Amino acid sequence: MDKNTFGKMMKRLLAFLDASPVNFLAARNIATELEQAGYRRLDPQMPIGEVRAGDKLYVTKNDSSVYAFHIGRQPLADAGFRMICAHCDSPTFRIKPNAEMLCEGGIVKLNTEVYGGPIMSTWFDRPLTIAGRVIVRGEDALHPKTLLLHVKRPLMQISNLAIHFNRQVNDGVKLSKQKDMLPILGVVTDELERGNLLMNVICGELGIKPEDILDFDLYLADATPACTFGVHDELISSGRLDDLSMCFAGLEAMTATHTTDATKVLAIFDNEETGSQTKQGAGSPFLSMMLKRIALAQSGSEEAFYQAVERAFMVSADNAHAWHPNYSEKYDPTNHPVLGGGPVIKFNAAQKYASDAASAAVFAEICREAGVPSQRFVNHSDVAGGSTLGNILASSIPLRGVDMGNAILAMHSCRETGSVADHIYTVKAFTKFFS
């Protein structure tokens, strides 16, 4: 892959990150890319119909998760499926109902609650915006309409308290989620704006009336564009690298590969940051139901699904922790991946990850065949680690699989740091896996 191809791939990734400030926008953008690559949208309320080799299908759930299927040349029962799964949600702040709080001088701040586990201090003193979905009246009460919202300008900020009033700020300060993390939206300049500042923004962006709005799921997002940095532009700075970079790598591989014997699956889940136990999360039976329906449509037998599971392999793609040059004591002494060192296979003795020796060997060999280096990550034994999609999904679909991801710094910060080379490596490895 030449330098020009590298550059184009990074431009696509940065554009995707900028266009996907929240799960709903990410899912919409992934669906758009799939459609442009010839994938046909399924309506889960309708029968799937005939399924043939080479068919490209996708379905969404809750406007925030996406599942794509490229049907293989051989029946599912004979060749199984190859799956890459990732998640499109990231830690942030959700705007509460009745959010406007009018303060002295006409200043309006918004009442928010934490989503996931953000590094809260990193959200201070930076331009923020809002994004998500707005629910408006439809044909009847059970069928409202959904409009997606992304305000593409700096709209608010969470401002720090001056050091003169908080002399211990550089010694570490405990932050209150309810008091300290409320963003300033603006200043009321007209009596008609009182209590309507946020609603005016929403209506102005979407071209609708306040009385049409039934509810919304809106979140804060960093308004600063993603970028590369470093002497050689070798590093990536962006919010939501965890886990949108893995979503996009899987999407690139899915749309670039042709029909193979096995059926290819790309599963982009929501709500990983809050435990995955939702209808659109990895703990839901939705994906297994769709695979069963495809197996039935293809063979007329649900038994084909169970055979396919035994022949399947899953790559659970969620980013890993890169070695930090300022905090080497936090890492395992012999298993600490570095930026630019290639995809990271993740292990945990308490089964927080799906990897074992057999599945790790499979993925490491895929990387080798793709000409890509690979690394290993294990937590320092005195430092508690997190979990991810693989073991949650495997508890409902008993898949052989591996947990992996690219090494990044400042995971769950408002802006994380990744490696350009690692993204290229992972796209190559995923493409090899799907080929």
Side-chain angles (χ1 to χ4, degrees), residues 83-87 243 246 313-319 344 346 352-355 363 388-393 401-405 430:
M83 178 191 298
I84 293 174
C85 58
H87 67 90
D243 193 33
M246 293 291 95
F313 193 89
M314 169 193 64
V315 175
S316 169
D318 197 358
N319 281 313
V344 179
K346 302 190 289 187
K352 297 291 187 181
Y353 303 131
S355 310
F363 188 73
T388 184
L389 300 165
N391 61 327
I392 294 173
L393 184 60
V402 65
D403 265 300
M404 56 74 62
F430 285 178

Side-chain angles (χ1 to χ4, degrees), residues 22-261:
V22 293
N23 49 358
F24 303 109
L25 276 298
R28 190 274 309 274
N29 294 332
I30 291 167
T32 299
E33 292 282 338
L34 289 168
E35 289 188 352
Q36 290 175 352
Y39 284 75
R40 174 171 60 88
R41 184 167 190 155
L42 295 174
D43 182 349
Q45 298 182 42
M46 303 297 292
I48 289 178
E50 185 181 1
V51 174
R52 294 174 293 185
D55 282 354
K56 297 179 178 180
L57 314 166
Y58 81 95
V59 64
T60 65
K61 188 71 172 176
N62 190 54
D63 303 316
S64 63
S65 61
V66 186
Y67 312 87
F69 312 92
H70 186 169
I71 307 302
R73 288 188 292 261
Q74 294 188 15
L76 269 170
D78 296 335
F81 54 87
R82 297 185 182 186
M83 178 191 298
I84 293 174
C85 58
H87 67 90
C88 61
D89 64 317
S90 300
T92 180
F93 297 85
R94 185 180 190 273
I95 298 174
K96 291 181 179 180
N98 306 310
E100 291 189 34
M101 304 171 74
L102 184 63
C103 308
E104 285 193 48
I107 293 175
V108 174
K109 63 182 180 180
L110 292 183
N111 194 8
T112 65
E113 61 178 327
V114 172
Y115 177 87
I119 304 176
M120 295 194 297
S121 62
T122 64
W123 286 76
F124 282 114
D125 304 321
R126 64 172 67 243
L128 303 173
T129 189
I130 59 174
R133 66 177 177 180
V134 178
I135 310 301
V136 300
R137 284 189 173 84
E139 295 180 1
D140 56 60
L142 285 176
H143 300 90
K145 293 181 179 178
T146 298
L147 302 177
L148 298 186
L149 175 67
H150 180 191
V151 180
K152 297 180 181 179
R153 64 182 177 90
L155 190 64
M156 63 188 76
Q157 186 163 294
I158 304 172
S159 294
N160 251 308
L161 181 65
I163 194 170
H164 308 79
F165 302 128
N166 190 8
R167 296 289 183 179
Q168 290 75 45
V169 66
N170 292 323
D171 299 326
V173 173
K174 182 175 176 58
L175 296 172
S176 164
K177 297 173 183 177
Q178 184 61 66
K179 174 181 173 61
D180 298 312
M181 306 311 300
L182 306 186
I184 296 172
L185 177 62
V187 179
V188 171
T189 58
D190 187 302
E191 189 63 28
L192 294 176
E193 291 183 328
R194 186 182 294 267
N196 296 310
L197 217 56
L198 177 61
M199 195 61 69
N200 289 346
V201 171
I202 295 170
C203 292
E205 289 286 326
L206 297 178
I208 57 177
K209 298 177 182 179
E211 55 266 30
D212 294 330
I213 297 175
L214 300 175
D215 216 323
F216 55 71
D217 292 312
L218 294 176
Y219 299 84
L220 307 192
D222 184 12
T224 306
C227 66
T228 55
F229 72 100
V231 173
H232 308 292
D233 272 331
E234 67 271 42
L235 300 173
I236 307 168
S237 173
S238 175
R240 307 173 304 283
L241 286 175
D242 173 30
D243 193 33
L244 290 185
S245 60
M246 293 291 95
C247 294
F248 196 68
L251 178 65
E252 292 259 276
M254 188 75 167
T255 56
T257 49
H258 301 293
T259 305
T260 60
D261 286 346

Side-chain angles (χ1 to χ4, degrees), residues 202-396:
I202 295 170
C203 292
E205 289 286 326
L206 297 178
I208 57 177
K209 298 177 182 179
E211 55 266 30
D212 294 330
I213 297 175
L214 300 175
D215 216 323
F216 55 71
D217 292 312
L218 294 176
Y219 299 84
L220 307 192
D222 184 12
T224 306
C227 66
T228 55
F229 72 100
V231 173
H232 308 292
D233 272 331
E234 67 271 42
L235 300 173
I236 307 168
S237 173
S238 175
R240 307 173 304 283
L241 286 175
D242 173 30
D243 193 33
L244 290 185
S245 60
M246 293 291 95
C247 294
F248 196 68
L251 178 65
E252 292 259 276
M254 188 75 167
T255 56
T257 49
H258 301 293
T259 305
T260 60
D261 286 346
T263 291
K264 295 179 290 185
V265 181
L266 177 67
I268 307 298
F269 295 103
D270 191 12
N271 303 131
E272 189 275 343
E273 299 294 355
T274 55
S276 296
Q277 301 303 312
T278 62
K279 62 186 180 298
Q280 59 274 0
S284 166
F286 183 76
L287 176 59
S288 64
M289 289 166 56
M290 288 304 302
L291 287 166
K292 285 179 185 178
R293 292 173 67 179
I294 290 172
L296 273 168
Q298 188 181 64
S299 68
S301 169
E302 189 176 299
E303 180 66 24
F305 165 73
Y306 299 107
Q307 291 177 268
V309 168
E310 295 305 312
R311 291 180 168 88
F313 193 89
M314 169 193 64
V315 175
S316 169
D318 197 358
N319 281 313
H321 298 293
W323 178 79
H324 196 305
N326 295 345
Y327 304 97
S328 61
E329 72 279 3
K330 294 292 185 180
Y331 297 84
D332 183 77
T334 61
N335 296 281
H336 47 265
V338 296
L339 292 168
V344 179
I345 301 169
K346 302 190 289 187
F347 295 90
N348 183 271
Q351 307 303 305
K352 297 291 187 181
Y353 303 131
S355 310
D356 56 25
S359 62
V362 169
F363 188 73
E365 187 66 5
I366 288 167
C367 289
R368 188 193 66 79
E369 291 178 357
V372 167
S374 61
Q375 307 182 82
R376 303 293 194 275
F377 170 81
V378 185
N379 274 304
H380 187 294
S381 295
D382 294 329
V383 178
S387 61
T388 184
L389 300 165
N391 61 327
I392 294 173
L393 184 60
S395 66
S396 59

